[in-house]
Amino acid sequence: MRRNCGVVAPLGLSHAIFVPAFETLAGRCDGCGGNDQLEAGVQVEAEPMPGSSPEGRLSRRFLRDETLLVLGLSLGASAVSALISFVGSVTKPGGLKDQAATLNASAAPGRPWLDLAWQLFGIASALVPVALVAHFLLREGEGMRTIGFDRKRPWFDTGRGAAVAAVIGSTGIAFYLAARGLGFNLTVVPEALPDVWWKYPVLILSAVQNAVVEEVIVVGYLLRRLGQLGWSPGTALVASSVLRGSYHLYQGIGGFFGNLAMGVVFVFLYRRWGRVGPLVVAHSLLDIGAFVGYGLLAGKVGWLPTP
C-alpha cells in the first residue's frame, strides 16, 4: 500500500468502476489482438522490439523514455518520496517504532465535505497514470487486455486473488509485528480519517486505487516494457520487486523487504497466469483488510500497535 495523505474492493467494485473505463480507453474492438497472451501459463512479457520501421514500430529509445515518464509520474516518484521520508525517520532521534507512518489522513480536519472532496480528488488523480498506460498499450494495438486487466475471467481472478490475499495477509501481519518489535519498522497507521459516514467507502476506494495503480504499472506494464527493451526475465523480476519495496520505504526497513518479497511472488504469479486481474483482487483485499480492519480494531485489541 502506498501512502495517501488525502491531497495528492473486492472484484465487483474494482471491475465495476475501473475496468470499463480503461477498456474504453484501450479500445474494445474486434481484432485488436493480444488475446492469446492472456491464457494461464503464457509468458506475457513481449519480446524485444526492433527499431522504428515504416510499419510504425516504436524504437527502444522511445519505449525507454516512455517507461521513465510513466514511472516519474507515478511509482518512481513515490519511491523517491519514500526514500526521503525514510532518511528523515532514521536520522530523527528515537527509534523507528516510536514514529508513525500514516497512510489515509484527513486533508481538511473539521470540514467533512471539503475533506471528502480532497479524498476523492486524490483517488481519481492517482489513477491518471493507469489511464496513460492504457493509452500507450492501445497505441500498440493491444490495450489493457494484453496484461490481463479485463473482465474476461472474473471468477478466475476472484478465486485466485482471494486465495493469494489469505496467504499473504496472515504472513504480512506477522512480519510487520516482528519487524516493528525489532525496531526495523515505523508504526503504520493505515487510516486516520474522521468518524463520518463516508469514512469506510473512501477507505475501500483508496484500497482499490492502490491495487490498480501498483499492479497495472509495476507488474503488467513494467514487465512488458522491460521485455521489449531486452531485459532478461530475472533482471526484470528484480527491478519490479525492488521498485515495489522502494516506494514502501517510508514504513521502514521491514516495509521495504516485506513488499520486495511480495513483489517476487506477484511477478511469479503474473507470469504463471498471464493476468494482473488476480493480483488487483488480492491487493485490494489486503488493503481493504488493513484500512477497514485498523479503523474497527485500533485501540480495542492489544496486539495491534497504535501511536
Side-chain angles (χ1 to χ4, degrees):
M1 63 189 81
R2 294 181 303 119
R3 192 199 316 244
N4 178 8
C5 295
V7 178
V8 171
L11 179 70
L13 178 61
S14 61
H15 278 61
I17 296 176
F18 298 114
V19 172
F22 295 140
E23 285 183 341
T24 300
L25 286 170
R28 296 183 61 194
C29 57
D30 294 334
C32 286
N35 290 334
D36 294 339
Q37 291 181 312
L38 297 180
E39 299 302 323
V42 175
Q43 181 77 6
V44 295
E45 295 163 62
E47 295 297 323
M49 296 179 68
S52 297
S53 68
E55 289 77 19
R57 289 183 174 180
L58 302 175
S59 70
R60 290 164 63 95
R61 179 179 178 180
F62 193 99
L63 291 175
R64 181 200 64 196
D65 293 347
E66 175 202 288
T67 304
L68 291 175
L69 286 171
V70 169
L71 294 179
L73 291 171
S74 57
L75 298 173
S78 296
V80 175
S81 174
L83 176 60
I84 295 172
S85 178
F86 175 71
V87 171
S89 295
V90 297
T91 55
K92 185 177 180 179
L96 288 180
K97 69 178 183 180
D98 296 324
Q99 303 176 47
T102 304
L103 276 62
N104 294 282
S106 175
R111 307 181 68 184
W113 286 105
L114 182 61
D115 201 350
L116 174 60
W118 277 120
Q119 299 295 336
L120 295 178
F121 170 76
I123 292 169
S125 60
L127 288 166
V128 172
V130 179
L132 189 62
V133 165
H135 169 75
F136 288 145
L137 293 177
L138 172 62
R139 184 187 57 194
E140 297 179 43
E142 300 288 353
M144 297 290 268
R145 69 184 65 184
T146 197
I147 61 173
F149 190 55
D150 56 16
R151 293 178 293 184
K152 183 178 180 182
R153 306 179 70 184
W155 294 112
F156 177 90
D157 293 347
T158 304
R160 295 298 193 278
V164 171
V167 174
I168 291 183
S170 56
T171 305
I173 292 174
F175 183 84
Y176 161 68
L177 293 176
R180 181 184 177 277
L182 293 171
F184 295 143
N185 223 79
L186 284 76
T187 298
V188 177
V189 181
E191 71 87 14
L193 295 176
D195 190 15
V196 291
W197 65 268
W198 49 260
K199 174 178 179 176
Y200 292 109
V202 163
L203 290 175
I204 292 173
L205 288 176
S206 177
V208 176
Q209 170 249 299
N210 283 342
V212 172
V213 172
E214 293 187 40
E215 305 316 325
V216 167
I217 294 178
V218 83
V219 177
Y221 171 77
L222 183 60
L223 292 181
R224 179 174 178 81
R225 283 293 181 258
L226 294 181
Q228 291 171 321
L229 291 170
W231 289 42
S232 70
T235 306
L237 180 149
V238 171
S240 175
S241 302
V242 170
L243 175 59
R244 186 188 294 267
S246 297
Y247 57 76
H248 289 92
L249 259 176
Y250 68 90
Q251 298 179 11
I253 300 173
F256 172 81
F257 284 106
N259 282 279
L260 185 150
M262 176 177 164
V264 172
V265 173
F266 273 28
V267 169
F268 172 79
L269 294 176
Y270 175 65
R271 287 171 171 169
R272 180 179 179 85
W273 296 331
R275 299 182 59 78
V276 298
L279 307 183
V280 171
V281 172
H283 197 148
S284 296
L285 293 175
L286 288 169
D287 279 9
I288 289 171
F291 297 170
V292 175
Y294 186 89
L296 295 174
L297 298 177
K300 300 177 182 177
V301 294
W303 57 267
L304 184 61
T306 56

